């Protein structure tokens, strides 16, 4: 059992990557469309680019969405409404009428006898309540058929047969004229207006249920294509009926393939394709970016961003396929470039687009535009910490989208008359969404503990707490670090390396010296050297330990790992030669391991640049009468010696780049040590 635990502990990083591989594959497959892939890509209004297509099997032609929508609207418009009839209201109204008449009738004011008015009113009430009274107003025509539900019985009648209270005035006038009782018109109207109540109300639930039942019974098909029948000929424009027939064939094809019998095989196919994409990503990281591959947090970060793009695209496609270009896919290479490098950003972008090709309609057009936009993102976005650069790059990306989409449309249509200018709004919205990169980078830094150029800009502030402490405790080291930062930044700019990263690394690379500053010559204010009283081996240990102590201070102050890498590697595995030679002179022999820095050697262009700049700047202080020739030979000697020791073997830096760095260092040192004109006192 102990052996299993030991094996697990040794291989936990690999086990985690295997788990991440299968988990990511499962998630992506879950979001893929649950159906077989139709063999042909087509668009409405575009010519059919394949050979003549014949029906591989018999299938029904589905009605177009617009056609079905119109039929449903027609059903709603022509549906017969149900009204609920309340038979108890009539008797209550008659009783109320008699009571009100008894209270309001005055013999001296009316010629018509009370009993006659009562008879007329009761008969009128009975007559109008026979078909029903309503106070609701509907936009129905008078001959519109309605259903009147009285208990369990349902009767048909016209909407005009219902009595509306708004017609009461005219009805009373006609009633008194017919009975020659004009003197009682006002009395009758006032009483009837007060006592009449609605006994017919619309039954919305029953009406809606009837409509839904009719809609469900609607036939979604409008014909059939027999097996072997021609669906579309080559060059025909895909529109109208042809477009609907192709959509019907596609739906039937995908539903037939995604059956219980074929489910497993389709799943196997999807699994292989998605697995290949993630396998390529792992192989790329392992071979070309081992520092990322060996860091599970960074690997998880990359996979999270891929999954996020797949998830957002799936979400948008569920709303409407036209909105697919709103998803800011270019934010992926932009962010990965900010945290890693352009090559990683572009490679991951390409793999993500391959996955999205399974999801989106018109996949070739989509993938082409996204590939081009991703390349433009990598080429244009630089120095992301400068906000204006992001705006400029987003503008360029949006322009590329618009130009690419326009070109595709012209190729497919042959003209611009049918161009939908609204489509360009989606690309503008995509560009605006890409501006969300800045807050997203901040969020990722806090969650995943990564560092971007934006954070590096903050760290380069010499008024920060740690650099202030360095300047107070070890002013000579601080001044040395500033000089190294300037040399390293200029060199990085010349060969296209990350100048901001190397500058920050240079500012912090010697922070370990502030724990024991007087043991380093740049901080010794007088000619007294503390190492004169120490054994060479002791002195070498103090010098070497500034690297270890620097790492400890950096971790205590939460400096990012990318900055700590400069502290670890700025001396590589070089030898503290002065004390090594002194030890040999005193004792005749010396253990070289006691005088060697623990490493590792630089593993990037930036860390290699710092090693060169640091060594050259520190050693330049020993030049007594520097001239241009002496400085040139001096720089060549130091860097060639580092190359001979193999310090740059893992740094991914070329001989040409090293020669360029030499030229920059020579030029900068010549400017620093140039001769000044002596002015008379």
């Amino acid at each position: 059992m102990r052996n299993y635990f030991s094996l697990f502990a040794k291989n936990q990083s690999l086990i985690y990557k295997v788990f991440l591989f299968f988990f990511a594959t499962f998630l992506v497959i879950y979001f893929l469309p649950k159906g077989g892939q139709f063999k042909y890509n087509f668009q409405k209004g575009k010519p059919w680019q394949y050979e003549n297509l014949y029906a591989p099997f018999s299938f029904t032609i589905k009605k177009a969405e617009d056609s079905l929508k119109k039929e449903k609207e027609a059903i709603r418009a022509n549906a017969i409404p149900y009204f609920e009839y309340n038979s108890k209201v009539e008797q209550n109204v008659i009783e109320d009428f008699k009571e009100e008449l008894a209270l309001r009738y005055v013999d001296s004011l009316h010629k018509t006898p009370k009993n006659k008015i009562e008879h007329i009113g009761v008969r009128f009430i009975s007559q109008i309540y026979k078909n029903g009274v309503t106070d609701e107003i509907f936009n129905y025509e008078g001959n519109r058929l309605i259903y009147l539900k009285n208990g369990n019985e349902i009767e048909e009648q016209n909407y005009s047969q219902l009595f509306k209270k708004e017609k009461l005035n005219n009805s009373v006038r006609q009633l008194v004229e017919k009975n020659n009782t004009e003197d009682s018109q006002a009395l009758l109207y006032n009483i009837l207006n007060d006592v009449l109540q609605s006994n017919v109300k619309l039954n919305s639930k029953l009406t809606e249920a009837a409509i839904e039942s009719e809609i469900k019974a609607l036939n979604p098909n409008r014909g059939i294509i027999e097996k072997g029948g021609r669906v579309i000929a080559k060059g025909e424009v895909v529109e109208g009926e042809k477009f609907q027939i192709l959509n019907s064939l596609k739906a039937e094809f995908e539903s037939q393939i995604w059956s219980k019998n074929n489910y497993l095989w389709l799943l196997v196919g999807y699994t292989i394709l998605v697995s290949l994409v993630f396998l390529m990503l792992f192989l790329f990281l392992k071979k070309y970016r081992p520092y990322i591959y060996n860091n599970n947090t960074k690997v998880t970060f990359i996979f999270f961003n891929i999954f996020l793009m797949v998830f957002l695209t799936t979400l948008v496609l569920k709303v409407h396929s036209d909105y697919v270009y709103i998803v800011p896919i270019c934010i992926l290479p932009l962010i990965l470039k900010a945290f890693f490098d352009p090559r990683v950003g572009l490679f991951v972008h390409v793999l993500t687009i391959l996955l999205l090709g399974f999801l989106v309609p018109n996949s070739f057009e989509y993938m082409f535009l996204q590939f081009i936009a991703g390349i433009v993102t990598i080429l244009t976005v630089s120095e992301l910490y400068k906000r204006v650069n992001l705006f400029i790059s987003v503008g360029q990306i949006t322009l590329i989208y618009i130009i690419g989409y326009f070109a595709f449309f012209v190729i497919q249509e042959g003209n611009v008359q049918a161009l939908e200018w609204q489509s360009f709004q989606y690309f503008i919205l995509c560009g605006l969404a890409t501006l969300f990169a800045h807050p997203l980078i901040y969020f990722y830094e806090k969650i995943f503990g990564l560092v971007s150029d934006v954070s590096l800009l903050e760290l380069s502030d010499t008024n920060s707490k740690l650099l202030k402490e360095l300047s107070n405790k070890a002013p000579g080291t601080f001044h040395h670090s500033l000089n190294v930062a300037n040399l390293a930044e200029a060199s990085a700019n010349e060969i296209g390396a990350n100048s901001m990263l190397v500058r920050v690394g240079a500012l912090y690379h010697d922070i370990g010296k502030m724990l024991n500053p007087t043991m380093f010559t740049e901080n010794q204010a007088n000619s007294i050297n503390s190492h004169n009283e120490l054994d060479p081996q002791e002195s070498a240990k103090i010098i070497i330990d500034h690297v270890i102590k620097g790492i400890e201070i950096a971790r205590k102050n939460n400096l990012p790992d990318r900055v700590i890498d400069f502290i670890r590697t700025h001396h590589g595995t070089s030898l503290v030669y002065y004390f090594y030679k002194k030890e040999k002179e005193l004792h005749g022999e010396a253990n070289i391991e006691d005088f060697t820095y623990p490493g590792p050697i630089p593993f990037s262009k930036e860390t290699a640049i710092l090693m060169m700049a640091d060594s050259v700047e520190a050693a330049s202080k020993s030049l007594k009468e520097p001239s241009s020739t002496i400085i040139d030979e001096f720089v060549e000697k130091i860097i060639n010696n580092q190359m001979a020791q193999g310090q740059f073997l893992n740094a991914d830096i070329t001989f040409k780049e090293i020669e360029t760095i030499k030229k920059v260092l020579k030029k900068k040192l010549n400017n620093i040590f140039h001769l000044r004109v002596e002015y008379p006192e």
Side-chain angles (χ1 to χ4, degrees):
M1 183 63 72
R2 184 178 298 175
N3 290 337
Y4 285 115
F5 281 119
S6 176
L7 186 65
F8 176 81
K10 289 180 181 178
N11 298 284
Q12 59 179 341
S13 179
L14 179 61
I15 293 170
Y16 176 78
K17 289 182 179 66
V18 171
F19 167 77
L20 187 63
F21 174 83
F22 285 109
F23 182 68
T25 303
F26 170 79
L27 281 180
V28 172
I29 292 174
Y30 176 78
F31 284 110
L32 291 180
K34 300 301 184 288
Q37 291 289 324
F38 192 51
K39 298 178 182 179
Y40 309 101
N41 287 318
F42 59 91
Q43 265 186 291
K44 189 175 183 179
K46 308 294 189 292
W48 180 255
Q49 299 176 352
Y50 308 96
E51 297 297 327
N52 293 355
L53 178 63
Y54 298 92
F57 45 77
S58 298
F59 65 94
T60 55
I61 304 171
K62 306 291 183 183
K63 293 178 181 175
E65 286 295 326
D66 291 343
S67 176
L68 277 173
K69 186 178 179 181
K70 287 178 181 177
E71 289 187 29
K72 290 176 182 178
E73 288 174 353
I75 288 174
R76 287 193 174 277
N78 300 320
I80 301 175
Y82 282 82
F83 286 84
E84 197 79 31
Y85 183 90
N86 188 347
S87 57
K88 296 178 181 180
V89 174
E90 179 184 349
Q91 190 58 41
N92 293 335
V93 171
I94 290 173
E95 290 175 2
D96 291 342
F97 174 77
K98 290 178 179 180
E99 289 178 5
E100 288 296 320
L101 181 61
L103 291 172
R104 300 186 192 187
Y105 184 82
V106 180
D107 293 335
S108 59
L109 297 177
H110 301 92
K111 296 178 182 179
T112 307
K114 176 188 170 186
N115 58 353
K116 185 175 181 179
I117 295 175
E118 182 178 312
H119 177 72
I120 292 170
V122 170
R123 187 173 60 183
F124 175 73
I125 291 169
S126 298
Q127 184 180 349
I128 64 173
Y129 273 98
K130 182 178 180 181
N131 293 321
V133 176
T134 182
D135 53 7
E136 297 177 330
I137 300 174
F138 300 96
N139 294 325
Y140 297 146
E141 294 181 2
N143 61 350
R144 176 70 176 270
L145 189 67
I146 64 170
Y147 288 131
L148 203 60
K149 184 176 180 294
N150 186 359
N152 295 325
E153 296 181 2
I154 297 178
E155 296 179 4
E156 289 184 4
Q157 68 178 54
N158 290 333
Y159 178 66
S160 60
Q161 291 179 261
L162 293 179
F163 183 82
K164 290 86 177 173
K165 286 185 69 175
E166 60 187 20
K167 298 179 179 179
L168 181 60
N169 194 18
N170 290 333
S171 299
V172 170
R173 188 186 309 114
Q174 294 173 8
L175 182 65
V176 297
E177 287 176 359
K178 182 180 178 181
N179 292 279
N180 297 319
T181 57
E182 284 82 354
D183 64 305
S184 63
Q185 180 177 337
L187 179 64
L188 267 174
Y189 174 77
N190 290 332
I191 295 174
L192 289 171
N193 188 55
D194 290 341
V195 300
L196 281 183
Q197 299 176 24
S198 173
N199 75 326
V200 172
K201 291 188 180 294
L202 179 68
N203 190 326
S204 301
K205 289 185 178 180
L206 196 57
T207 303
E208 190 62 31
I211 293 172
E212 289 298 326
S213 177
E214 200 169 345
I215 288 175
K216 285 181 181 178
L218 194 64
N219 187 359
N221 306 317
R222 61 177 180 81
I224 189 169
I225 299 289
E226 297 293 342
K227 181 178 180 180
R230 193 172 76 176
V231 176
I232 191 169
K234 184 177 181 180
E236 274 191 83
V237 178
V238 181
E239 59 183 0
E241 185 179 356
K242 291 295 182 183
F243 178 69
Q244 197 53 40
I245 291 173
L246 283 170
N247 269 333
S248 302
L249 175 59
K250 181 181 178 181
E252 188 67 24
F253 179 84
E254 292 177 351
S255 65
Q256 284 193 15
I257 286 187
W258 197 264
S259 62
K260 290 183 179 179
N261 295 331
N262 299 332
Y263 178 85
L264 184 61
W265 285 111
L266 289 169
L267 206 59
V268 168
Y270 274 136
T271 303
I272 291 172
L273 292 175
V274 175
S275 298
L276 281 174
V277 170
F278 288 130
L279 183 62
M280 293 305 103
L281 177 57
F282 272 120
L283 291 176
F284 169 80
L285 294 177
K286 186 178 173 77
K287 184 173 179 62
Y288 297 106
R289 297 296 182 272
Y291 74 95
I292 298 177
Y293 178 81
N294 294 325
N295 188 317
N296 285 339
T297 301
K298 293 178 179 178
V299 174
T300 305
F301 171 73
I302 293 173
F303 272 81
F304 174 79
N305 278 277
I306 294 174
F307 172 71
L308 182 63
M309 291 299 115
V310 173
F311 173 73
L312 287 177
T313 305
T314 306
L315 207 62
V316 169
L317 286 172
K318 286 183 178 180
V319 177
H320 201 288
S321 60
D322 289 348
Y323 301 153
V324 69
Y325 285 108
I326 295 178
V327 180
I329 301 297
C330 286
I331 209 170
L332 178 62
L334 192 153
I335 286 176
L336 292 179
K337 182 182 177 182
F339 285 115
F340 304 117
D341 60 77
R343 192 174 179 184
V344 172
L346 184 59
F347 192 84
V348 174
H349 178 73
V350 169
L351 294 183
T352 305
I353 298 304
L354 291 177
L355 292 175
L356 295 178
F358 292 114
L359 296 169
V360 299
N362 309 317
S363 56
F364 175 76
E365 177 184 317
Y366 176 85
M367 292 170 70
F368 183 91
L369 289 177
Q370 296 295 3
F371 282 147
I372 296 298
I375 293 170
V376 170
T377 303
I378 294 297
L379 294 177
T380 60
V381 177
S382 60
E383 297 181 327
L384 193 60
Y385 56 88
K386 296 180 180 178
R387 288 171 293 182
V388 68
N389 288 350
L390 180 61
F391 282 95
I392 293 171
S393 297
V394 166
Q396 293 171 332
I397 293 164
T398 305
L399 184 62
I400 288 296
Y401 271 130
I402 292 173
I403 293 172
Y405 179 82
F406 176 80
F408 265 104
F409 187 89
V410 171
I411 290 172
Q412 294 166 347
E413 291 288 343
N415 59 68
V416 295
Q417 296 174 357
L419 182 63
E420 296 180 2
W421 298 99
Q422 184 183 358
S423 301
F424 295 145
Q425 296 177 10
Y426 302 144
F427 300 124
I428 294 171
L429 288 174
C430 177
L432 293 175
T434 306
L435 293 175
F436 190 67
H438 261 305
L440 196 59
I441 286 172
Y442 177 79
F443 173 78
Y444 281 149
E445 286 178 338
K446 298 303 178 185
I447 297 298
F448 292 95
L450 301 173
V451 60
S452 68
D453 286 353
V454 180
S455 294
L456 292 175
L457 181 63
E458 295 174 0
L459 290 170
S460 66
D461 183 7
T462 53
N463 288 315
S464 66
K465 180 183 175 182
L466 189 56
L467 291 180
K468 270 191 172 182
E469 187 180 355
L470 177 64
S471 66
N472 291 330
K473 292 183 177 179
T477 299
F478 179 71
H479 184 260
H480 158 72
S481 297
L482 286 175
N483 289 337
V484 173
N486 292 330
L487 293 173
E489 185 178 19
S491 302
N493 280 326
E494 201 66 28
I495 68 168
N498 191 331
S499 58
M500 179 60 70
L501 177 61
V502 77
R503 179 174 183 81
V504 173
L507 289 173
Y508 291 91
H509 79 285
D510 270 345
I511 56 175
K513 291 182 178 180
M514 65 181 175
L515 294 181
N516 203 355
T518 56
M519 301 303 291
F520 300 90
T521 55
E522 67 264 25
N523 297 310
Q524 293 169 357
N526 47 48
S527 59
I528 299 174
N529 190 338
S530 303
H531 290 284
N532 293 335
E533 300 175 2
L534 298 176
D535 185 76
Q537 192 170 337
E538 253 185 286
S539 295
K541 186 177 186 309
I542 292 171
I543 299 296
I544 292 170
D545 278 353
H546 88 272
V547 173
I548 306 300
K549 290 175 181 177
I551 295 172
E552 292 173 357
I553 293 170
R555 294 200 184 283
K556 186 178 179 181
N557 286 272
N558 297 317
L559 288 185
D561 287 339
R562 289 178 79 183
V563 177
I564 295 175
D565 288 339
F566 287 90
I567 302 174
R568 293 166 54 217
T569 61
H570 73 278
H571 285 295
T573 55
S574 60
L575 185 69
V576 186
Y577 185 74
Y578 175 81
F579 292 109
Y580 174 72
K581 184 180 179 182
K582 190 175 180 181
E583 175 76 4
K584 288 186 75 173
E585 289 174 356
L586 290 174
H587 301 97
E589 59 179 1
N591 184 2
I592 195 169
E593 292 180 0
D594 295 335
F595 298 87
T596 303
Y597 283 97
I601 60 176
F603 48 78
S604 67
K605 290 180 181 179
E606 290 77 15
T607 50
I609 290 170
L610 177 62
M611 173 179 274
M612 291 184 245
D614 179 47
S615 300
V616 167
E617 202 285 330
S620 68
K621 297 294 189 293
S622 63
L623 297 175
K624 295 179 181 178
E625 295 180 0
S627 64
S628 179
T629 304
I630 292 174
I631 289 172
D632 289 356
E633 291 176 354
F634 165 77
V635 171
E636 288 285 345
K637 179 182 177 182
I638 289 179
I639 295 179
N640 287 342
N641 186 42
Q642 289 174 338
M643 292 172 64
Q645 293 174 9
Q647 298 294 334
F648 307 136
L649 291 177
N650 297 336
D652 189 28
I653 192 168
T654 64
F655 285 115
K656 183 179 180 180
E657 288 169 335
I658 293 174
E659 290 301 317
T660 303
I661 293 168
K662 286 179 182 178
K663 290 178 183 178
V664 173
L665 295 176
K666 290 172 186 177
K667 182 180 178 182
K668 287 286 182 182
L669 288 176
N670 272 295
N671 290 337
I672 293 171
F673 291 108
H674 73 282
L675 295 175
R676 295 183 180 274
V677 177
E678 290 189 16
Y679 294 99
E681 296 183 1

